[in-house]
Amino acid sequence: MECVFGLVGNGFAIVAGDTSAVNSILVHKSNEDKIMILDSHKLVAASGESGDRVQFTEYIQKNVALYNLKNGIPLTTAAAANFTRGELATALRKDFGGVRVLNTSACFMAATVSFDRYCMSKDNGHEVLVLTVDRLCIVKSCIIYGSELFSGFKCYMPQMENPYSVNILMAGYDKETGPSLYYIDYIATLHKVDKGAFGYGSYFSLAMMDRHYHSGMSVEEAIDLVDKCILEIRSRLVVAPPNFVIKIVDKDGAREYAWRESVKDAASA
């Protein structure tokens, strides 16, 4: 039941996120920081699959740092958001590979399972049929039709590049344009917004921000609104995350502002 949300105020941007690391019905920890300090004046709040979230945000962080090292100037928040959107879009459109069957007599399967295309090639001296399919068809052909169609054949899938299952709110502060907040979802949609949210908690946090948000909010007003969102999530969401972290970025840089904790992890023995 993840939730990250953020808003833009007068000279600053604030993002908040839950800190629960969960898998199925298990809570592994309740102090997982899902808001990364991208550089001195940028924050990335991410939700999604744990592996994708950590790997992708670290990948973006290192590439933003690399750009700064190579060119001597940092990326603006807009440029970093567009770079992030581009990487998500590229991963979304990569070829998913295919199924390789080590027996040419399996050609009849091309008509049976609706493969996109097929061709002949060599694999360690053996003549093989390469069946290129989309992601859904690979799953169906290997699991549902596996015993029926691939019986007697040696089959395997090449390594696949999967899209990232991650949603991002990127907040930053630039000298020329001031604070900004960008909404980037897992299918590479990019919008500049004044307020935004992801996760199940977004139903409640967006409702609260729609009611109470106004442009030019002070830090105190924004923190009060964040606290109202957290309280609403804890009150309304059936499996609500207990702890949240709040971070802020302004002309003085990106930094942690506060934690809102109702549960603390037990110390390791």
Side-chain angles (χ1 to χ4, degrees):
M1 298 293 182
E2 287 189 311
C3 180
V4 296
F5 58 94
L7 58 90
V8 177
N10 183 19
F12 66 91
I14 280 182
V15 288
D18 77 280
T19 60
S20 297
V22 302
N23 180 32
S24 184
I25 62 172
L26 299 178
V27 178
H28 296 294
K29 59 189 297 192
S30 57
N31 60 354
E32 174 79 3
D33 191 349
K34 299 176 184 177
I35 305 175
M36 171 181 282
I37 296 180
L38 197 61
D39 65 16
S40 62
H41 285 77
K42 296 180 191 67
L43 294 168
V44 168
S47 70
E49 295 292 333
S50 298
D52 285 357
R53 173 175 54 80
V54 173
Q55 193 276 335
F56 185 72
T57 53
E58 288 183 352
Y59 170 76
I60 296 299
Q61 183 190 51
K62 304 319 178 196
N63 275 275
V64 167
L66 178 63
Y67 181 91
N68 194 1
L69 288 172
K70 289 173 66 176
N71 298 280
I73 56 172
L75 285 171
T76 64
T77 307
N82 278 277
F83 170 73
T84 302
R85 185 262 168 198
E87 293 303 307
L88 284 171
T90 300
L92 189 68
R93 291 163 175 80
K94 280 187 177 178
D95 194 326
F96 291 119
V99 179
R100 300 164 68 85
V101 185
L102 296 183
N103 192 310
T104 56
S105 63
C107 290
F108 71 92
M109 287 187 296
T112 310
V113 193
S114 300
F115 291 94
D116 291 344
R117 56 189 182 277
Y118 61 92
C119 62
M120 302 303 299
S121 67
K122 293 283 186 179
D123 184 35
N124 294 326
H126 297 282
E127 194 173 34
V128 300
L129 176 68
V130 181
L131 306 172
T132 305
V133 298
D134 61 24
R135 186 182 188 187
L136 183 61
C137 199
I138 286 177
V139 174
K140 285 183 177 179
S141 60
C142 289
I143 297 176
I144 299 176
Y145 303 115
S147 59
E148 179 180 340
L149 292 177
F150 291 102
S151 179
F153 302 110
K154 180 181 177 183
C155 312
Y156 63 92
M157 288 187 299
Q159 184 176 1
M160 296 182 293
E161 296 289 345
N162 294 325
Y164 293 104
S165 179
V166 60
N167 300 300
I168 286 174
L169 288 176
M170 182 178 292
Y173 185 92
D174 301 293
K175 289 181 179 179
E176 297 79 10
T177 59
S180 56
L181 180 68
Y182 289 88
Y183 170 108
I184 313 167
D185 69 11
Y186 74 104
I187 54 173
T189 301
L190 172 64
H191 287 293
K192 184 178 181 181
V193 295
D194 291 327
K195 57 187 184 299
F198 284 111
Y200 282 107
S202 65
Y203 295 110
F204 312 106
S205 55
L206 284 174
M208 293 300 293
M209 288 190 287
D210 284 342
R211 182 178 181 85
H212 298 288
Y213 176 83
H214 62 86
S215 60
M217 296 183 79
S218 65
V219 173
E220 292 76 16
E221 289 176 318
I223 292 298
D224 182 61
L225 178 52
V226 168
D227 286 336
K228 286 178 179 177
C229 293
I230 292 173
L231 180 61
E232 193 72 8
I233 292 168
R234 286 173 174 170
S235 302
R236 299 290 185 178
L237 194 58
V238 64
V239 184
N243 301 337
F244 289 80
V245 61
I246 305 169
K247 295 188 180 182
I248 188 171
V249 57
D250 56 18
K251 60 182 177 60
D252 297 321
R255 60 195 181 277
E256 184 180 296
Y257 184 86
W259 283 69
R260 299 291 187 259
E261 294 179 291
S262 60
V263 172
K264 289 186 179 292
D265 279 355
S268 300

